[in-house]
Amino acid sequence: MGRFSWGGESGAAAATCVLVGALLLVPAAGAQTSADAPLGAGGQVQGALAAMTTRAHGITAQPGDMVRGSLTGASMRLVLTNAEGKRERVLATGVGELQEFVFVAGTNPPYALEVRAPVAGGYGLRVTEVVTRAQQVPPPEGIDSPRIRALQQSLAAGGNTDAFWAEVRERGTPLVEADAEPAKDGTVRVTFVWRGAQRNVWLFGAPSGNHEQLTRLGTSDVWYRSYRVPAGTRLGYKLAPDVPELNAPPMVRRRAILATAQRDPFNARSFPDRPIDTFAGESVFELPDAPPQPWVAERPGVPKGTVQAHRITSQALGNTRDVALYRPAGWQPGASGNALLVLFDGDTYQKEVPTPTILDNLIAAGELPPMAAILISNPSRQARGDELPPNPAFARFLATELMPWARSQGVAAGPARTVVAGASYGGLAAAYLGLQHPEWFGNVYSQSGSFWWGAPGQEPSSLTRDYVQAPVRPVRFYLEAGLFEGNRAGQVGILESTRHLRDVLRAKGYAVQHREYAAGHDYLHWRGTLATGLTALMGKTAAE
């Protein structure tokens, strides 16, 4: 029998040699190697070896077969050898009493499993499974929904989909189906369905945080996709049937979903409540445990503040935009208890998020002090993409033009009583303003901030690195993100980049509050949490 050596290996194999160390054993003179009958699936053998001896056990694996098994015995090693008795790979290095292994047989059978004993002792070798090349096929796609499985069986027996669609029409969508036993992780099964597309159906706003395709049930008119979601889920979504396939760059192809994206025809709930047509707004999916949104509707008897529209031209930016000033009922400029909210995407935070109503309700209930607001709109979609990601010119516009102007209008508060806030790019901009101009903004509120963003020529999350390098500012933070905003397609997501910023800020010594919700990138969700974040920063129980 040969030495316990690695032959003429170099490079990576030599590195492996160093890692396994003790496998470089040389058997004592006269040590014997014995052969046993080949082991197939389920085969096992037990034996004992003197120190520095080996025993080879043949296996029935053919080229391409996958083999799984285990080796027991203190310090025992296991090597796979080929038809010439040469080592092909080390399967077990003697670490632990039970060592599991898996490999795919190469093209030089018959193969053997050679047990090597650096010290005397017993061993047990077992081949748990041999999966032939022909057996290596992916499983058929499973159907998680019991209702869809039942429909599949009905169709196989010659039935049709009429009763299914009648049930869908009555129950509404998405389908929420209870398990025989509640899921241990507290999740709920939800199935999105569409009737009658020809080529494809896409889900816009899926719980995965990505656009995802529904699956057609055979050749029927039923398209479906199921998810497991937390019991507190709130989600806005659309369905897009027969999305055009384009010979175009990936982003253009991705945006093609907007050509057919529309509300779910079997879901009566929409956001906003009265969209102008089928393609406007989004369908609403809420589970019973979704956080309540008690402040978004007007309340009888609550004094209403005023909203005054202005057009502001910026020398720093060279453009003009709409800015709205909200003053709560009874606002007294300069009063010591006053607070101020500076909010980006101002038009959206008046229409889809009824910010003036939310502030009216919170102030009347004593949950907030008198709080005025500056609602800053974007001149265009392009301007939004240029200005809200960290932009010195935009910061200069706020610090030297907008904020002094608002103060001249009687809308002001000290930095410790001022919150700068926004969603998505707006949340990113808020954090940037807190870093650059704490003399104006002492509180930062980010709703799903785009902290994945990287400055041109830099790696992602460049603002977070700026906070690492900068001295600590007198600023407090409230950060939130949705559980459906995670990493996708290899790119850092909002969920993870927000957690990273949270950790960096806390390590620097900032006061940071952080919340996560079973929600996506969605104003349907943000309109409810706006009150939560503002009261956490400026409410009667907020830390000063």
Side-chain angles (χ1 to χ4, degrees), residues 4 33 45 49 53-57 71-72 76-79 113-117 123-125:
F4 285 9
T33 300
V45 64
L49 289 173
T53 62
T54 70
R55 178 170 295 137
H57 300 276
L71 175 69
T72 59
M76 293 296 172
R77 278 69 163 163
L78 187 67
V79 172
L113 298 172
E114 187 175 277
V115 182
R116 298 184 173 189
Y123 70 90
L125 176 63

Side-chain angles (χ1 to χ4, degrees), residues 186-527:
T187 58
V188 176
R189 181 195 299 108
V190 54
T191 301
F192 297 85
V193 295
W194 182 269
R195 185 176 192 178
Q198 296 301 311
R199 291 184 293 174
N200 56 56
V201 180
W202 287 84
L203 177 58
F204 183 90
S208 64
N210 203 0
H211 306 339
E212 296 200 336
Q213 280 191 285
L214 275 62
T215 298
R216 190 174 188 175
L217 185 60
T219 59
S220 75
D221 61 354
V222 176
W223 297 74
Y224 69 95
R225 189 175 185 98
S226 297
Y227 298 87
R228 296 278 179 158
V229 299
T233 293
R234 173 178 284 113
L235 193 68
Y237 70 96
K238 288 185 174 181
L239 292 161
D242 295 322
V243 174
E245 289 288 353
L246 303 177
N247 183 8
M251 185 54 67
V252 176
R253 298 182 65 208
R254 177 180 173 85
R255 289 186 61 82
I257 194 173
L258 299 176
T260 67
Q262 56 197 267
R263 297 194 315 281
D264 186 342
F266 296 104
N267 184 343
R269 298 193 61 196
S270 66
F271 174 70
D273 293 335
R274 292 182 292 276
I276 57 176
D277 61 28
T278 301
F279 300 93
E282 57 190 9
S283 294
V284 174
F285 170 57
E286 291 178 327
L287 287 173
D289 290 345
Q293 298 185 337
W295 306 104
V296 300
E298 292 186 3
R299 297 182 173 189
V302 168
K304 291 185 178 181
T306 61
V307 178
Q308 194 173 46
H310 299 269
R311 292 281 290 170
I312 302 297
T313 298
S314 168
Q315 293 184 355
L317 295 169
N319 58 22
T320 301
R321 74 189 64 234
D322 293 326
V323 174
L325 298 183
Y326 162 83
R327 299 174 178 87
W331 175 255
Q332 297 179 9
S336 61
N338 286 352
L340 176 63
L341 169 64
V342 179
L343 194 55
F344 302 116
D345 293 309
D347 50 350
T348 306
Y349 273 91
Q350 293 179 75
K351 297 174 183 176
E352 297 187 32
V353 179
T355 303
T357 297
I358 293 170
L359 293 176
D360 287 342
N361 290 337
L362 290 170
I363 294 168
E367 298 294 330
L368 282 179
M371 175 178 272
I374 307 172
L375 305 168
I376 308 167
S377 295
N378 308 300
S380 66
R381 183 183 182 90
Q382 179 64 43
R384 182 181 189 274
D386 292 338
E387 294 174 355
L388 294 186
N391 182 328
F394 186 69
R396 189 163 61 252
F397 159 62
L398 264 74
T400 65
E401 298 177 344
L402 184 66
M403 297 301 289
W405 169 81
R407 174 173 285 174
S408 73
Q409 302 294 310
V411 175
R417 306 284 291 175
T418 298
V419 179
V420 59
S424 193
Y425 270 170
L428 177 68
Y432 179 68
L433 266 296
L435 179 66
Q436 296 298 324
H437 292 290
E439 76 277 12
W440 286 108
F441 311 109
N443 299 272
V444 169
Y445 176 19
S446 169
Q447 295 187 298
S448 300
S450 299
F451 299 118
W452 51 265
W453 179 88
Q458 297 186 24
E459 295 295 320
S461 302
S462 56
L463 179 61
T464 300
R465 287 195 298 276
D466 291 343
Y467 268 100
V468 170
Q469 298 166 2
V472 174
R473 310 297 204 244
V475 177
R476 298 184 300 165
F477 291 82
Y478 187 94
L479 309 176
E480 67 177 64
L483 297 176
F484 307 146
E485 297 183 287
N487 298 343
R488 70 184 186 197
Q491 296 181 336
V492 176
I494 285 173
L495 179 64
E496 292 79 12
S497 59
T498 299
R499 291 171 177 172
H500 183 206
L501 177 62
R502 171 203 63 192
D503 294 343
V504 164
L505 293 173
R506 286 177 175 170
K508 294 280 289 187
Y510 285 99
V512 182
Q513 299 181 67
H514 175 252
R515 290 284 301 274
E516 293 178 353
Y517 298 90
H521 204 68
D522 196 341
Y523 284 104
L524 170 68
H525 160 69
W526 295 330
R527 68 173 183 173

Side-chain angles (χ1 to χ4, degrees), residues 143-152 177-179 189 191 226:
I143 298 178
D144 188 41
S145 163
R147 187 63 188 87
I148 299 296
R149 285 199 303 269
L151 178 59
Q152 181 186 48
E177 300 172 282
D179 296 306
R189 181 195 299 108
T191 301
S226 297

Side-chain angles (χ1 to χ4, degrees), residues 23-41:
L23 275 173
L24 298 177
L25 299 173
V26 180
Q32 300 297 312
T33 300
S34 61
D36 294 285
L39 297 173

